[in-house]
Amino acid sequence: ETFRNIRTVRSFAADELELAKFQHHIDAASHLTTKDAYASSGVKALSGYISFAATALILWYGGLSVLKTQGSDKLSIGQLITFNLYWDL
């Protein structure tokens, strides 16, 4: 709005005041953007760690199940690998 009325702003010698307001808004937006970037990277890192831990647990428990189970309902290594591949999607 100030840019459309630049003649009025200059006639009242309010250039510095409007520039200070604009700078304040730019600084506030920059601060919020930085906070958002930190939050986003934290969530992404946490999500990656949880996914890695879940994959490790699936392979550990599934590996034990492949080695220990006997009979017709035995979990095969192929089924474990297939499940793990689908888990990562």
Side-chain angles (χ1 to χ4, degrees):
E1 186 176 320
T2 302
F3 291 121
R4 288 189 308 194
N5 300 320
I6 196 69
R7 289 186 195 134
T8 307
V9 169
R10 286 196 176 205
S11 68
F12 287 113
D15 302 12
E16 297 299 322
L17 176 66
E18 293 298 328
L19 188 59
K21 281 186 192 177
F22 181 71
Q23 187 63 41
H24 172 71
H25 289 296
I26 292 296
D27 291 340
S30 175
H31 178 69
L32 291 175
T33 302
T34 303
K35 281 178 58 175
D36 183 53
Y38 280 127
S40 176
S41 62
V43 167
K44 190 173 270 195
L46 183 64
S47 174
Y49 290 140
I50 289 172
S51 178
F52 176 74
T55 300
L57 285 173
I58 288 170
L59 290 175
W60 172 73
Y61 184 75
L64 288 177
S65 180
V66 166
L67 293 175
K68 289 184 178 180
T69 55
Q70 301 292 329
S72 63
D73 60 339
K74 180 179 177 184
L75 179 67
S76 72
I77 189 72
Q79 291 171 328
L80 176 62
I81 291 172
T82 302
F83 181 80
N84 193 36
L85 288 174
Y86 281 122
W87 172 259
D88 285 335
L89 292 179

